[in-house]
Amino acid sequence: EAKAAGRNTFRFFDPAMQAALDASASLETDLRAALAQRELLLYYQPVVDADGCMTGAEALLRWQHPRRGLVAPGEFIAQAEKAGLIGEIGDWVLETACQQLVAWSGDAATCHLTVAVNVSARQFRQPAFAERVLQIIARSGANAHLLKLELTESMLLADVEDVIGKMSLLKSRGVSFSLDDFGTGYSSLSYLKRLPIDQLKIDRSFVHDMLHTPHASTIVRSIVTLAHSMGLQVVAEGVESREQWDSLRQIGCGGLQGYLFGRAVPPQALLFGHQPLVAATQNHHLDLVDGHGNT
Ligand code: C2E
Ligand code: MG
Ligand code: MG
Ligand code: MG
């Protein structure tokens, strides 16, 4: 009996569990401070066309933590959702992305660039989500046609009428929608038919495996075909090698994103211009497929 109680007591005071609780509580406290103290940063990763020329960027959140350094979103977004902070963080991300669009609008080299913003499930479920986005766009003066919102498949399963309502309102003002990590969630072709989606983003796990695993390359090919036959744009995520790029060009994938073309960086570190983002000297495979007939 004493043994059992001892075990319970031991479990209750499990130092590892306590440490995890402390860490999570301090993460939440730190997150609240981060918002107030402007420790959040928005990085941008280039999105390029089949030739490697930049057409836009995906905004990716970073947290410049005073002790932990630069923290990736995978380590704090879920916690922010649980703590009820995702609304505020999401507003900040949208506001900052819209301000970036406005900053780019004044220059011929950047005025065509789109910005894609990730939306979390809880953020999208807020009843006034669409109105909030429109307010932020209006306040910033950004061109709504250059703003893309990235949703994930699981978010679309909730209340389809509600989802359609929000998307339709935003689309009527020019905002477009992208389905992120496509192929990893509950892909349902009937949702694709009913929802006003503009773009599919092929999850990087398929791109990662496509050169070595026949099924992965078949899936990539099928998603591209599906997208095209439904009139949707398609972007491949996680392109890291020339070989993947070549293969995706052959398949006809119109949009590409990945370390090959550039990591997420602060906006002032992005390189603009109408040249491909991969240096010409590295284009030793470009003669395989070239949309302009140049070899
Ligand atoms: P995501 O939207 O699928 O973003 C792509 C992630 O893949 C980014 O990680 C990016 O840095 C990484 N990535 C891009 N190219 C490559 C590549 O070639 N190879 C590899 N291995 N990785 C690549 P990151 O920035 O850590 O973001 C992770 C996730 O966090 C995002 O996945 C997105 O779901 C979420 N997230 C990022 N920013 C925000 C935000 O502002 N709000 C919300 N709600 N979620 C965000
Ligand atoms: Mg994304
Ligand atoms: Mg993604
Ligand atoms: Mg992904």
Side-chain angles (χ1 to χ4, degrees):
E1 198 189 337
K3 230 178 184 175
R7 211 181 294 138
N8 282 340
T9 313
F10 173 73
R11 283 181 62 185
F12 187 73
F13 291 108
D14 181 338
M17 250 174 75
Q18 194 57 49
L21 280 173
D22 289 348
S24 135
S26 97
L27 182 71
E28 184 177 332
T29 310
D30 286 3
L31 257 179
R32 290 186 196 279
L35 270 165
Q37 287 156 19
R38 304 173 181 280
E39 292 166 7
L40 297 181
L41 300 172
L42 211 49
Y43 275 29
Y44 296 84
Q45 183 180 31
V47 177
V48 303
D49 63 19
D51 298 322
C53 295
M54 189 169 167
T55 57
E58 177 173 4
L60 293 163
L61 188 57
R62 300 289 181 264
W63 177 9
Q64 187 62 64
H65 191 283
R67 294 180 312 277
R68 298 204 286 158
L70 200 62
V71 185
E75 292 180 47
F76 65 90
I77 291 283
Q79 191 72 26
E81 282 209 313
K82 273 190 238 145
L85 292 171
I86 200 65
E88 266 179 271
I89 292 177
D91 283 358
W92 180 86
V93 168
L94 272 163
E95 243 159 57
T96 308
C98 284
Q99 286 160 8
Q100 192 60 60
L101 279 174
V102 172
W104 284 342
S105 70
D107 189 325
T110 53
C111 64
H112 64 288
L113 297 175
T114 59
V115 170
V117 169
N118 292 283
V119 176
S120 85
R122 187 169 293 189
Q123 186 187 357
F124 187 69
R125 255 188 270 126
Q126 295 173 328
F129 172 76
E131 289 78 9
R132 255 172 123 121
V133 174
L134 292 176
Q135 230 169 46
I136 291 170
I137 294 171
R139 234 183 6 229
S140 66
N143 178 356
H145 290 88
L146 296 174
L147 181 67
K148 278 187 199 307
L149 298 181
E150 295 197 358
L151 311 179
T152 53
E153 292 161 279
S154 56
M155 295 165 58
L156 307 178
L157 293 171
D159 174 349
V160 186
E161 294 311 322
D162 178 61
V163 169
I164 292 178
K166 286 169 174 160
M167 291 179 77
S168 304
L169 174 56
L170 286 164
K171 273 200 71 81
S172 73
R173 308 293 183 82
V175 177
S176 61
F177 287 93
S178 190
L179 213 42
D180 207 353
D181 308 333
F182 188 75
T184 59
Y186 304 88
S187 321
S188 161
L189 302 185
S190 69
Y191 285 111
L192 278 188
K193 194 179 64 182
R194 287 187 66 188
L195 298 172
I197 296 283
D198 303 278
Q199 182 181 81
L200 304 181
K201 291 188 86 170
I202 304 173
D203 189 70
R204 71 165 187 262
S205 58
F206 301 118
V207 175
H208 182 265
D209 295 342
M210 67 182 291
L211 298 178
H212 315 287
T213 314
H215 287 327
S217 77
T218 304
I219 289 171
V220 170
R221 210 177 282 275
S222 306
I223 296 175
V224 171
T225 305
L226 173 72
H228 288 165
S229 58
M230 295 187 76
L232 307 177
Q233 299 172 339
V234 60
V235 172
E237 300 191 283
V239 181
E240 295 182 355
S241 71
R242 288 290 324 193
E243 290 73 18
Q244 290 166 342
W245 182 14
D246 290 337
S247 174
L248 287 159
R249 280 164 68 111
Q250 269 165 334
I251 288 173
C253 185
L256 308 159
Q257 186 179 343
Y259 295 165
L260 179 66
F261 307 102
R263 293 177 182 248
V265 291
Q268 62 274 14
L270 282 171
L271 298 172
F272 304 112
H274 292 285
Q275 320 86 338
L277 284 183
V278 178
T281 49
Q282 292 173 24
N283 290 357
H284 49 279
H285 286 308
L286 205 60
D287 53 338
L288 281 180
V289 185
D290 183 336
H292 301 300
N294 307 314
T295 50

